[in-house]
Amino acid sequence: MSFLRQRKATANPVPREEEEEKEKKNVKAMSIEGEKTKRWSCVDSCCWFVGFICSIWWFLLFLYNAMPASFPQYVTEAITGPLPDPPGVKLRKEGLTVKHPVVFVPGIVTGGLELWEGRQCADGLFRKRLWGGTFGELYKRPLCWVEHMSLDNETGLDRPGIRVRPVSGLVAADYFAPGYFVWAVLIANLARIGYEEKNMYMAAYDWRISFQNTEVRDRTLSRIKSNIELMVATNGGNKVVVIPHSMGVLYFLHFMKWVEAPAPMGGGGGSDWCAKHIKAVTNIGGPFLGVPKSVAGLFSIEARDIAVARAFAPGFLDKDVFGLQTLQHLMRMTRTWDSTMSMIPKGGDTIWGGLDWSPDVYYNCSVKKYKNNDTCNAFQNDKENLGFMKNINYGRLISFGKDIAELHSSKFERLDFRGAIKGRNLANTSNCDVWTEYHEMGVEGIKAVTDHKAYTADSILDLLHFVAPKMMKRGDAHFSYGIADNLDDQKYKHYKYWSNPLETTLPDAPDMEIYSMYGVGIPTERAYVYKFAPQSDCNIPFQIDTSANGGNENSCLKDGVYSTDGDETVPVLSAGFMCAKGWRGRTRFNPSGIRTFIREYDHAPPANLLEGRGTQSGAHVDILGNFALIEDIIRVAAGASGEDLGGDRVHSDIFKWAEKINLEL
């Protein structure tokens, strides 16, 4: 057989050259196929990464929906031990029940807004949420969303063909987004002692527009007045307990003056309306005297987080990403929201300090926070870090350069920017997709701002008038930031003064109580180090200088931001001063002697991820889930007085700082 195979092969010989060529082709084909197999593009990596994340997400979502509702609590208790009863359950066991109706007044950005009329790009969105919820429309059509969320730059009201209105009911602000509570935890705990919608009311309003314009456009103040009167009448004559949060504190301060004032400017309720209808006002995280954070937001649309994001990706937020110049669009939109101007610091240098002094001059930025059962460790940590406390001049809210922030004012020269001519425009602003008022300032105007070097609370107002004249022209008609010389002057009857506690008086209601409840122990933005950023003619020319740091991890200067004590948004000085001094006892700001109480909640972060946002948080929004605060509010709603709660509870130096402020009372 082998002989036959040999003869057959010999009968059909294959040329050697042909065989070698065929072998080369096979080797080449195999190498090409191997290269294709080994080559891995960026697109492949992205697709695999997205697929992996989605798979994990759907798997976790499946587990979440499949597991028993009690399973997360079981796991948490297995790790941390038995959980304490929620405040509502605890107080129900003590026998507390419904007594006073409650009114919630949400703050800025936490209330939902929905579309009632829009442009063509918003077809199909009638009564869909543009703000709050999933923010789906922001991702689908961002430019359309910005167009509809913006207000008229001249009037501060609706733009032609657009009507965005506040969502009504408790759902308006119970959750800001799915899973992110605002008022939901407090509402749930009130429900545990018997509260329901007939004795709870969410005073929702359009937080973008000025306080008086909520009445002009929507009759919101009139509806709040009517609802409070109805709740008192249908709940056995028991007065309401009002619970404002954040900017809602200023909004309700405005309401209390509006309801007393005669029509048409006011509600015509008379000087005794508050005495008849309000038992207590429990202000949570109230920016009574404004917040420095608002200055950075209006000046450069920044805060610490955005500044740090810029440092990681320089220029990214300013560039035309997916057809958007993100920060420019945000600046143009938010500068049409008049309400933001209500939180510009009030009281000027008298309250916030000057070039070389500030009342809250000492603050220990190095103290770490522990759970309540570790208070001994926290105290020891505090003692060990006292050496890092430094005399910081917080009075300079904005400094151009770290050296300017630290030098004594006699060591540098400041040029006055107020008379600068906004002459020569920037070179290429015609190519900018988004117009901002900086494009009209010109090179000379921008240089004049930086040459002034340092700005205090007094000069900040002049600065904002210089860089944003259209915005501040509207703001001047609705808000004021000074200190009244004579509160009997007739000019203070105008509504522009009603949200400034230093230019108005509390109601004539001696039996009413006012609480200031806020978190402490969290580094809170107080002053900023800026730099000139001439990367592009279309960019916002000023940025927080994230390279400015204090030199060690315990410094109060980090990423261009000086921090002080507060709740991460509102400094203690703003939240606590009025109840510590301005309204304490019978003063010219509190002529009827309404009793005031300070209740501070020392921040303690969650011990683990299973605790979510924590039950002892002092953060500006998370404090609404703080068990101690919720317990205090429920007790007041059930009839307790400030004395029953134990009077003041103070962890900060607010009384010491208040004494340093020379304010005529």
Side-chain angles (χ1 to χ4, degrees), residues 26-47:
N26 289 337
V27 171
K28 187 176 182 180
M30 290 175 64
S31 64
I32 291 172
E33 188 175 348
E35 285 180 12
K36 287 182 178 179
T37 305
K38 293 177 183 178
R39 191 176 297 146
W40 189 260
S41 68
C42 179
V43 175
D44 295 324
S45 300
C46 291
C47 290

Side-chain angles (χ1 to χ4, degrees), residues 502-541:
L502 299 174
E503 294 184 301
T504 191
T505 59
L506 289 177
D508 184 11
D511 294 331
M512 195 170 86
E513 294 180 331
I514 292 183
Y515 298 81
S516 187
M517 301 173 157
Y518 53 89
V520 297
I522 308 178
T524 302
E525 296 175 37
R526 177 66 167 83
Y528 302 89
V529 177
Y530 268 84
K531 66 179 180 180
F532 174 55
Q535 297 132 323
S536 164
D537 293 327
C538 294
N539 284 355
I540 298 166

Side-chain angles (χ1 to χ4, degrees), residues 58-126:
W58 284 111
F59 178 68
L60 292 174
L61 194 63
F62 168 76
L63 288 180
Y64 179 78
N65 287 284
M67 72 174 65
S70 60
F71 184 73
Q73 182 177 346
Y74 172 78
V75 174
T76 303
E77 290 185 350
I79 295 174
T80 64
L83 295 176
D85 284 337
V89 173
K90 172 186 173 184
L91 297 178
R92 184 179 61 196
K93 291 177 180 177
E94 293 182 15
L96 270 65
T97 57
V98 175
K99 184 173 183 181
H100 296 278
V102 295
V103 177
F104 308 108
V105 187
I108 193 169
V109 311
T110 53
L113 299 174
E114 60 187 17
L115 183 69
W116 280 78
E117 181 185 1
R119 306 271 172 85
Q120 186 176 357
C121 67
D123 286 346
L125 297 182
F126 177 68

Side-chain angles (χ1 to χ4, degrees), residues 103-108 182-183 186 190 241-250 252 281-288 514-519 567 569-570 575-576 579 597 599 601 617-626 628-634:
V103 177
F104 308 108
V105 187
I108 193 169
V182 182
W183 294 94
L186 177 56
L190 284 165
V241 170
V242 185
I243 313 171
H245 173 247
S246 190
M247 191 185 76
V249 168
L250 302 179
F252 196 75
V281 184
T282 57
N283 301 289
I284 304 173
F288 287 106
I514 292 183
Y515 298 81
S516 187
M517 301 173 157
Y518 53 89
D567 68 0
T569 297
V570 182
C579 282
F597 301 94
R599 303 287 290 176
Y601 303 88
S617 176
H620 188 62
V621 176
D622 295 354
I623 196 173
L624 290 169
N626 184 299
L629 176 134
I630 293 173
E631 182 175 332
D632 284 348
I633 288 177
I634 293 178

Side-chain angles (χ1 to χ4, degrees), residues 192 314 576 619:
R192 287 186 172 105

